[in-house]
Amino acid sequence: MDSLITAAARALATGDPLGALKRVALREDAPGLALRGIAMAQLGDFVRAKALLRSAARGFGPKEAVARARCIVAEAEIALVSRDLGWPVKALEAARATLQSHGDRVNAAHARNIEVRRLLLLGRIGDAERMLIELDPTPFPPASRAAHELVVAGMAIRRLQTRRARAALARAAYAARVANIPALMAEVESASRALDTPAARLITRGEERLLLLEEVETLLASPTFVVDACRHVVHRENAVVSLATRPILFSLVRRLAEAWPADVSRSLLIADAFRTKHADESHRARLRVEIGRLRAMLQPMADVSATDRGFALAPHRASDVVVLAPPVEERHAAVLALLADGESWSSSALSMALSASPRTVQRALESLAAAGKVQSFGRGPARRWMTPPVPDFPSILLLPGPLPSD
């Protein structure tokens, strides 16, 4: 490898894309194209970066499989950063296998780290953790070690393991300082702020207060009866009842929990659960049916008792009843939470991350755009959506995820 290529590669490794371009800006050979592509990616021109990397991959000969695989890994990372979650994962896995078989452990591990980060974005925490176990970060240079620790921290945050998250972020901060890449240090600092940002609201006996993630973790480990509006579950110590697919039942239990120890009138429960202001006998009959279903689901941890005017929650062996709600409750909160990472998302990527239909996501984006909460640029398949970070709004790391007991 000639001296200009070597110097450009070193510049990119230290986060100096302009220094790299000074050395390879006019190069049209495959190594030069590859380095130019990575430099353009670091400068944020992802479209040009992908084109250069694809040209470089085509330019490498049959005996240069490792170089071609590295181009594929770089393109996969660009796809991840630009939130192109539909990028062909099989191509990345094949490139990783090529790198592993040729002894390039560093780039093979980097490819696996990209796969884990993608799974984390999609909310597939279990799959990401299983893949992370197989990943040996030992050969990582400092910059890649920092990125790896950010993934470890992200999973710990989603699992409500704040001590583990803080330890991973401390390791990430150290690695970023050793790498001496300002953008990476800023990313670690931004991720660290998630632990000092309100993650939920605690509602009890008519009062509200904000909780940090660490306080949420402590609450869920206590004997308190918690109606969790972030995940749509009812939780007490190690017992969890999911009502994620039963919105009417969750609406009822949340209203009962907010009123506890008092009862709630039948008319208010009907208005909440069935979205009607004019209740008739059919609504009252339906309420009795839904309350019966709720009793059956909560039976291991609580009862729902009838009163003269309505119903009351009666938890078993719980010292207190609280509701855990998101810091900000929006109709399209999940979409806003994804966009709050400051990156530009395609509607298809949002659909994948939310496990929602493309049309559902598109309607949500149009509604948010009409309200001035998101903006788009580009047309057709190239259209992207983004929004400035919303103060006190949970980031992607704080979206509803699996509970620690999962």
Side-chain angles (χ1 to χ4, degrees):
M1 184 179 295
D2 64 51
S3 59
L4 286 177
I5 293 293
T6 302
R10 286 175 178 166
L12 289 173
T14 58
D16 181 16
L18 293 178
L21 285 175
K22 287 178 182 178
R23 294 168 174 84
V24 296
L26 301 178
R27 299 281 293 254
E28 293 295 334
D29 57 319
L33 289 172
L35 293 175
R36 284 168 59 194
I38 296 172
M40 296 307 295
Q42 290 188 7
L43 292 171
D45 189 346
F46 299 133
V47 174
R48 181 63 176 153
K50 285 190 288 186
L52 287 165
L53 285 165
R54 287 172 183 172
S55 295
R58 290 192 297 268
F60 286 115
K63 295 183 179 180
E64 298 173 297
V66 171
R68 189 162 49 251
R70 289 172 182 168
C71 288
I72 293 171
V73 172
E75 188 181 346
E77 186 164 23
I78 291 170
L80 181 76
V81 173
S82 58
R83 300 301 185 256
D84 180 9
L85 302 184
W87 193 84
V89 180
K90 288 184 178 179
L92 177 61
E93 179 58 31
R96 189 194 67 80
T98 297
L99 294 168
Q100 190 72 41
S101 65
H102 284 79
D104 188 353
R105 296 176 60 217
V106 172
N107 281 303
H110 183 58
R112 179 51 57 89
N113 200 44
I114 292 171
E115 292 181 78
V116 174
R117 288 164 61 193
R118 178 181 178 274
L119 291 172
L120 184 61
L121 270 182
L122 291 172
R124 294 166 55 183
I125 311 302
D127 291 339
E129 283 182 330
R130 284 187 288 274
M131 191 172 285
L132 195 67
I133 291 172
E134 304 170 5
L135 180 59
D136 177 15
T138 304
F140 279 4
S144 297
R145 177 64 67 91
H148 171 76
E149 296 296 352
L150 282 171
V151 172
V152 173
M155 282 192 286
I157 288 172
R158 292 288 293 270
R159 290 290 192 189
L160 297 180
Q161 298 168 345
T162 53
R163 184 175 298 178
R164 181 184 171 209
R166 288 190 188 279
L169 288 168
R171 293 191 298 269
Y174 174 77
R177 287 194 300 270
V178 173
N180 195 28
I181 301 176
L184 187 57
M185 289 187 275
E187 185 178 355
V188 174
E189 183 180 348
S190 176
S192 300
R193 284 198 292 270
L195 295 177
D196 299 315
T197 300
R201 283 180 299 132
L202 183 72
I203 305 172
T204 179
R205 301 174 190 267
E207 298 182 353
E208 295 186 15
R209 68 181 179 91
L210 293 171
L211 296 183
L212 299 178
L213 200 66
E214 198 166 16
E215 294 174 301
V216 174
E217 181 182 9
T218 301
L219 174 68
L220 294 180
S222 74
T224 303
F225 185 94
V226 181
V227 176
D228 186 346
C230 299
R231 298 172 177 81
H232 290 85
V233 301
V234 179
H235 187 283
R236 185 175 66 81
E237 291 182 309
N238 295 323
V240 179
V241 174
S242 175
L243 298 175
T245 60
R246 309 295 292 271
I248 290 177
L249 297 190
F250 186 80
S251 175
L252 292 172
V253 74
R254 176 171 178 172
R255 174 61 73 176
L256 291 168
E258 288 180 351
W260 185 87
D263 62 354
V264 182
S265 69
R266 290 173 177 81
S267 59
L268 186 55
L269 289 172
I270 288 171
D272 267 8
F274 308 133
R275 301 291 189 269
T276 181
K277 295 181 180 179
H278 306 289
D280 55 26
E281 188 55 39
S282 68
H283 289 109
R284 286 185 280 273
R286 188 180 173 193
L287 176 64
R288 289 193 293 272
V289 170
E290 298 296 349
I291 288 291
R293 291 171 176 164
L294 182 61
R295 278 197 190 104
M297 296 198 73
L298 296 184
Q299 192 275 329
M301 59 179 74
D303 188 21
V304 180
S305 57
T307 66
D308 290 342
R309 74 184 195 113
F311 295 92
L313 188 65
H316 307 324
R317 302 183 305 279
S319 60
D320 201 2
V321 174
V322 302
V323 172
L324 195 65
V328 178
E329 293 197 77
E330 286 267 0
R331 183 183 173 192
H332 305 298
V335 175
L336 282 174
L338 285 166
L339 294 175
D341 67 358
E343 302 292 346
S344 58
W345 288 70
S346 66
S347 58
S348 60
L350 290 168
S351 175
M352 291 177 66
L354 295 169
S355 298
S357 72
R359 185 59 194 141
T360 296
V361 170
Q362 192 61 43
R363 283 198 298 265
L365 290 169
E366 290 168 358
S367 174
L368 290 168
K373 295 179 180 178
V374 302
Q375 57 188 9
S376 66
F377 59 91
R379 294 180 179 275
R383 193 178 193 188
R384 291 292 185 272
W385 298 85
M386 64 185 303
T387 183
V390 181
D392 294 333
F393 200 86
S395 72
I396 174 64
L397 297 179
L398 301 182
L399 282 176
L403 288 166
S405 58
D406 287 359

